Amino acid sequence: MANWSCPVCGASLEAEAHTFRCQNGHSYDRAKKGYVNLLQSNQSHNKRHGDDRAMVAARTAFLDAGYYAPLCKSISEASVACCGDKPTVLDVGCGEGYYTAAVYDALIAAGKTPDVRGVDISREALIAAHRRLGALSLAVASLAHLPMAELSCDLLLNVFAPVDAAEFRRVLRPGGKLLRAVPLERHLWELKCAVYDVPYENKAPDTDLPGFLLTERRDIVSRITLPTQEDIQALFMMTPYYYKTSRADQEKLNRLESLETETAFGLLVYERI
């Protein structure tokens, strides 16, 4: 089982009762709500770190309703296929842990003994992830400075989160796998049409990652029907559009009683080379 790495000196952090401590004397308290804060001090002065409590609650409610279950199933199946018997798995940008927990459960069901970890910059998201599955190891950290040793991971998950190819390659073992989930061009198209006078398609995903070989791509396209205003608002709040949309455009959604929209995901499987 891999340890977290100290964000100051890079040494391995040994777990004590309520603390993680390295050989150089740096220590980090384990929060009662299930995570350790390993965000570097020079990154902690921003006003806002990741999703706030309302966004996390909306995301949890929407995902727990099963609307993205086909994507979750594909990620879980691909994770089992990519892993050996005792894998170290790191979800990079794990959010509230919906996919992380599903991967853990799938690996256990396949008879494996996984060490599944998640990092996110949002404390609120990690609190929710711990509530979802207490077996996860969780840390507040930047994706650009992952608190893991070089060559320590067998599988990275990266679901709708930023990508840092060099950092991902640093922590993955040779031959290790990276699973990326990205929105395709028509993802949530009808939601956009309901909000914007001139909707636009998403940019096609850039699949090129230096140091990685793309070995498989699966497109997961379906339609979902949101039967309540609560579900519509939950979906909208978990998208990047929520904080970028005018009040007048947001009001258009408030008038909808239901919404049917396309979901379109790309699941990209990479091998570290």
Side-chain angles (χ1 to χ4, degrees), residues 3-14 19-29 36-44 117 119-120 123 138-150 167 170-171:
N3 289 343
W4 294 119
S5 294
C6 176
V8 175
C9 65
S12 177
L13 290 172
E14 301 295 333
T19 304
F20 291 91
R21 190 183 308 275
C22 76
Q23 63 185 11
N24 297 314
H26 305 119
S27 63
Y28 307 88
D29 292 337
V36 59
N37 189 343
L38 300 179
L39 195 67
Q40 293 181 327
S41 59
N42 62 353
Q43 299 169 322
S44 63
R117 296 166 178 262
V119 297
D120 201 278
R123 295 172 178 81
L138 303 167
V140 181
S142 166
L143 276 64
H145 300 281
L146 296 173
M148 297 292 291
E150 292 183 8
E167 183 67 353
R170 181 186 70 82
V171 301

Side-chain angles (χ1 to χ4, degrees), residues 78-247:
S79 297
V80 171
C82 286
C83 286
D85 291 338
K86 297 181 179 181
T88 296
V89 181
L90 179 65
D91 191 345
V92 185
C94 66
E96 50 74 72
Y98 174 70
Y99 303 102
T100 331
V103 167
Y104 177 90
D105 289 341
L107 293 172
I108 291 293
K112 301 178 188 291
T113 309
D115 173 17
V116 179
R117 296 166 178 262
V119 297
D120 201 278
I121 203 168
S122 167
R123 295 172 178 81
E124 294 295 339
L126 295 182
I127 291 170
H130 178 68
R131 284 198 300 262
R132 186 180 287 283
L133 182 62
L136 301 175
S137 298
L138 303 167
V140 181
S142 166
L143 276 64
H145 300 281
L146 296 173
M148 297 292 291
E150 292 183 8
L151 313 181
S152 60
C153 297
D154 301 291
L155 173 66
L156 296 187
L157 308 176
N158 183 245
V159 182
F160 310 131
V163 173
D164 189 319
E167 183 67 353
F168 291 2
R169 194 170 187 275
R170 181 186 70 82
V171 301
L172 267 178
R173 297 186 176 105
K177 300 297 180 64
L178 164 66
L179 299 185
R180 288 181 66 198
V182 296
L184 300 181
E185 292 89 331
R186 300 277 294 185
H187 182 54
L188 301 182
W189 178 247
E190 287 80 4
L191 174 68
K192 292 182 179 181
C193 290
V195 174
Y196 303 118
D197 294 332
V198 184
Y200 59 91
E201 292 188 354
N202 298 321
K203 292 182 179 179
D206 181 2
T207 61
D208 184 40
L209 281 184
F212 288 87
L213 175 66
L214 179 63
T215 60
E216 183 181 354
R217 171 173 172 166
R218 308 178 193 176
D219 289 355
I220 304 157
V221 180
S222 63
R223 299 191 67 80
I224 59 173
T225 299
L226 309 181
T228 67
Q229 175 61 209
E230 289 78 11
D231 284 355
I232 295 170
Q233 292 298 331
L235 172 59
F236 188 53
M237 285 186 69
M238 61 182 272
T239 69
Y241 318 125
Y242 179 69
Y243 286 107
K244 302 177 182 179
T245 302
S246 69
R247 185 181 298 273

Side-chain angles (χ1 to χ4, degrees), residues 259-271:
L259 175 69
E260 181 180 343
T261 187
E262 179 176 329
T263 63
F265 311 103
L267 181 58
L268 311 174
V269 182
Y270 294 86
E271 181 176 339

